[in-house]
Amino acid sequence: MSTITTEPNAHADDHHHDAHHHRPPAGLKRWLYTTNHKDIGTLYLLFALTMFFIGGAMAMVIRAELFQPGLQLVETNFFNQMTTVHGLIMVFGAVMPAFTGLANWLIPMMIGAPDMALPRMNNWSFWILPFAFSILLASLFMEGGGPNFGWTFYAPLSTKYSGDSTALFVFSVHIMGISSIMGAINVIVTIFNLRAPGMSWMKMPLFVWTWLITAFLLIAVMPVLAGTVTMVLTDKYFGTSFFDAAGGGDPVLFQHIFWFFGHPEVYIMILPAFGIVSSIVPTFARKPLFGYASMVYATSSIALLSFLVWAHHMFTTGMPVFAELFFMYCTMLIAVPTGVKVFNWVATMWRGAMTFEVPMMFAIAFIVLFTIGGLSGLMLAITPADFQYHDTYFVVAHFHYVLVTGAVFSIIAAAYYWLPKWTGHMYDETLGQWHFWCSLISVNLLFFPMHFVGLAGMPRRIPDYALQFADFNALISIGGFAFGLSQLLFVWVLVKCIRGGEKATNQVWEGAEGLEWELSSPPPYHSFTTPPHVK
């Protein structure tokens, strides 16, 4: 199998394949067989974009149903399938593959490596994903429909009261997990072994650091998820009783195992975003990142603490008070390193020569709105308060501020920031600004009122609601449709940029490269050129 190369790719076994024809394979073959990190990064990003729209279509079904009280469009079981598959697709199909695509594109270039360390495994880890999601989506067309137990698939809903699509769901999650583990191994081996001479640990760009830490989290928790779904499978089809009290099991055990995976997982979905914002903010502030070392330590401490907080999802399951206090304080502790990061980003912008191109707009929106999500998370950490918030729309508001205006906004910011590098063309700045303002206004119309209906007691995951929530829900749904449609502007920007446009220069963001980075320690290399210390 030959490789496609846009830069020299030092794999010995390629020579004897390419001996006859010195042209790399074209068309479909190029993408199927590629071991080039840039091609694989592109595949991941396009796959994530596709899944983002499929998952978004499901969210629009949910919001159309909730536009008015009463049951309009869909029957209850289908509504439950939509909430479940929307969550699974957005987490495992959109956010995680998008970050993996960015890792593939950028990490080798940022550390001066010729490619990822394990290029064939890289190809494999991408190509199993379309199969995983085809299986998940195909399950929706089974008799009895797809998985309908929520993306967290709590037992006994997933073990006793679910249809036969559960088996397909479990199989698809296994394949997603295998892909994640292979991707993570690849990132770790690449960063440990392929750094250019002079690229010491504390000189690595923060995006590389955040991904390294994320990769260790993935390797630690994906096997836990694999264990969880396997236990669900055997409880449902093979007569075990892990989660069945009648057979000596415990349904709360499911929650402990699931959230031991699930809490570090939500940090897997935000740490690379921190790395992206730490690349973008210094560029447009024309200043080195404030507090580089503290950012590295803060990221590491967030990752470590993420393993000590899982049961804050379970305050209402009747834990001993000591346990509730422990998980409450550990959860609040995570606010400290996160606050350090926000402080450092603001300090980087402070008195900088700021310009506001689209990547910077999304990065600033990220900082403000992610902080809102962080503050509502702090509220949810307070055990007695959580008794009230639990399973209401307040929780939905919280995690969408973290994952949409957090993770998704950072991915969009990264796309605008590195598009000139990827395509050789500048994107259309005016269209990009339109995309930003439409997204910003609609996303807040979509998620901010959810705090209010949640505090007033509206339960999540239910297709109907009490009359007093009607006005807010209409607004929320309008925000949802507007946000979904705004993303079509993004696709337009992408297509225009890929097809041509103004040529990108070596110095894409005016003045950003002209700084004497060497004055700062270490030099934060964001560059489209060779970093100063690698020359």
Side-chain angles (χ1 to χ4, degrees), residues 103-155:
N104 267 299
W105 249 104
L106 301 167
I107 288 174
M109 295 194 295
M110 285 178 163
I111 64 172
D115 201 311
M116 295 294 277
L118 305 159
R120 298 247 162 142
M121 187 166 88
N122 207 11
N123 172 295
W124 180 228
S125 70
F126 171 76
W127 276 113
I128 60 178
L129 278 184
F131 292 94
F133 286 92
S134 304
I135 291 167
L136 181 63
L137 289 167
S139 74
L140 290 168
F141 299 97
M142 283 181 74
E143 201 177 337
N148 59 358
F149 32 65
W151 84 273
T152 53
F153 55 99
Y154 276 16

Side-chain angles (χ1 to χ4, degrees), residues 418-489:
W418 280 295
L419 260 176
K421 170 97 187 119
W422 296 337
T423 63
H425 304 294
M426 267 315 273
Y427 63 86
D428 185 324
E429 181 71 29
T430 313
L431 267 180
Q433 298 274 352
W434 271 100
H435 173 226
F436 170 76
W437 287 109
C438 292
S439 297
L440 182 76
I441 294 161
S442 58
V443 83
N444 284 292
L445 181 60
L446 167 56
F447 296 122
F448 206 77
M450 286 184 184
H451 293 101
F452 308 143
V453 292
L455 290 177
M458 181 172 155
R460 60 190 274 214
R461 293 179 165 166
I462 309 290
D464 191 9
Y465 52 85
L467 203 55
Q468 67 262 33
F469 303 128
D471 293 351
F472 270 134
N473 269 292
L475 284 176
I476 292 168
S477 288
I478 291 166
F481 298 134
F483 182 69
L485 292 169
S486 302
Q487 304 323 303
L488 295 173
L489 279 171

Side-chain angles (χ1 to χ4, degrees), residues 11 34-35 97 123-124 165 191 200 221 241 255 283 294 309-312 361 389 443 484 487 492 500:
H11 307 310
T34 180
T35 52
N123 172 295
W124 180 228
S165 58
I191 296 171
S200 64
V221 301
S241 309
Q255 294 188 35
T283 301
S294 65
V309 297
W310 78 89
H312 68 205
M361 306 282 267
Y389 304 143
V443 83
Q487 304 323 303
W492 188 16

Side-chain angles (χ1 to χ4, degrees), residues 318-331:
M319 280 189 282
V321 173
F322 173 79
E324 299 203 316
L325 285 173
F326 171 83
F327 286 109
M328 176 166 86
Y329 291 134
C330 280
T331 305

